[in-house]
Amino acid sequence: MTSRPKYSQLEIERRWLTDERLLPDLSALPGRRLITDKYLSHGRLRLRKIEGGDEVQYKLCKKYGKCSEIVEPITNLYLTAEEYELLADLPGRMLVRQRFLYRYQDVSFSINVVVGKQVPVIAEAEFASEMEARECEPPPFCIEDVSGRIEYEAVRMAVD
């Protein structure tokens, strides 16, 4: 992709496989959220419901395709509950994850545990620049950078 689509933002993100034996006690971490994603069929749209604390948030995300291993233009629309329910009837594949927030060396990491399916636990972090992303040293429980590997993208873990 040579130019960024109008109204999109660049998502600069790295992802790592974790050694689950080295993870901190997840129940003690702040910011636990339940994320329900539906990857709509025949496109690159993701419908998302985020539940955490006393808040529920609904979003529709358009992903345009990677510019590099760690950069992808995206656009998010924030939805009402009614709009979300209307779109939730569209065909697609579902993925439910528990997301735990973890701070390490002034970087916020998300530890994603898929609910109801045996898949690896992935940690991820978003950055303001590619340089910042490339210089990031992940926590010790991160054992392999899988940022550019499509088999570890969330959409690949979703089920019909």
Side-chain angles (χ1 to χ4, degrees):
M1 173 168 294
T2 55
S3 66
R4 192 167 97 197
K6 192 173 183 177
Y7 305 117
S8 69
Q9 294 185 341
L10 293 180
E11 179 183 63
I12 304 168
E13 177 183 77
R14 286 183 63 196
R15 289 171 299 153
W16 295 268
L17 275 179
T18 66
D19 181 335
E20 295 178 41
R21 298 168 300 173
L22 300 177
L23 286 171
D25 176 8
L26 298 178
S27 66
L29 295 178
R32 180 172 141 175
R33 296 185 180 120
L34 182 67
I35 298 176
T36 303
D37 287 333
K38 185 169 196 177
Y39 296 91
L40 301 180
S41 298
H42 311 296
R44 295 187 51 83
L45 294 173
R46 177 187 69 206
L47 186 61
R48 175 170 277 183
K49 179 180 181 181
I50 304 168
E51 300 170 88
D54 296 335
E55 179 178 77
V56 179
Q57 191 176 70
Y58 305 96
K59 299 194 287 186
L60 179 64
C61 177
K62 166 71 174 173
K63 293 192 170 216
Y64 294 93
K66 298 264 187 178
C67 301
S68 73
E69 286 187 342
I70 62 172
V71 178
E72 181 168 20
I74 67 169
T75 303
N76 278 305
L77 294 173
Y78 291 83
L79 306 172
T80 64
E82 293 80 15
E83 292 166 332
Y84 173 87
E85 291 302 324
L86 180 69
L87 293 170
D89 287 336
L90 294 171
R93 297 182 314 150
M94 300 290 294
L95 181 67
V96 179
R97 295 178 284 174
Q98 287 281 339
R99 176 170 284 174
F100 303 89
L101 302 180
Y102 182 79
R103 295 246 349 134
Y104 181 76
Q105 295 185 355
D106 293 326
V107 176
S108 291
F109 289 83
S110 297
I111 300 169
N112 297 302
V113 179
V114 174
V115 175
K117 189 173 179 187
Q118 288 296 107
V119 297
V121 174
I122 302 292
E124 61 187 43
E126 290 188 19
F127 302 92
S129 72
E130 284 188 72
M131 179 182 290
E132 183 183 328
R134 297 207 187 280
E135 291 176 351
C136 174
E137 285 295 323
F141 55 79
C142 293
I143 57 171
E144 182 181 353
D145 187 328
V146 294
S147 300
R149 295 181 49 193
I150 61 171
E151 66 266 31
Y152 292 106
E153 291 180 2
V155 67
R156 304 286 183 205
M157 297 178 195
V159 295
D160 293 321

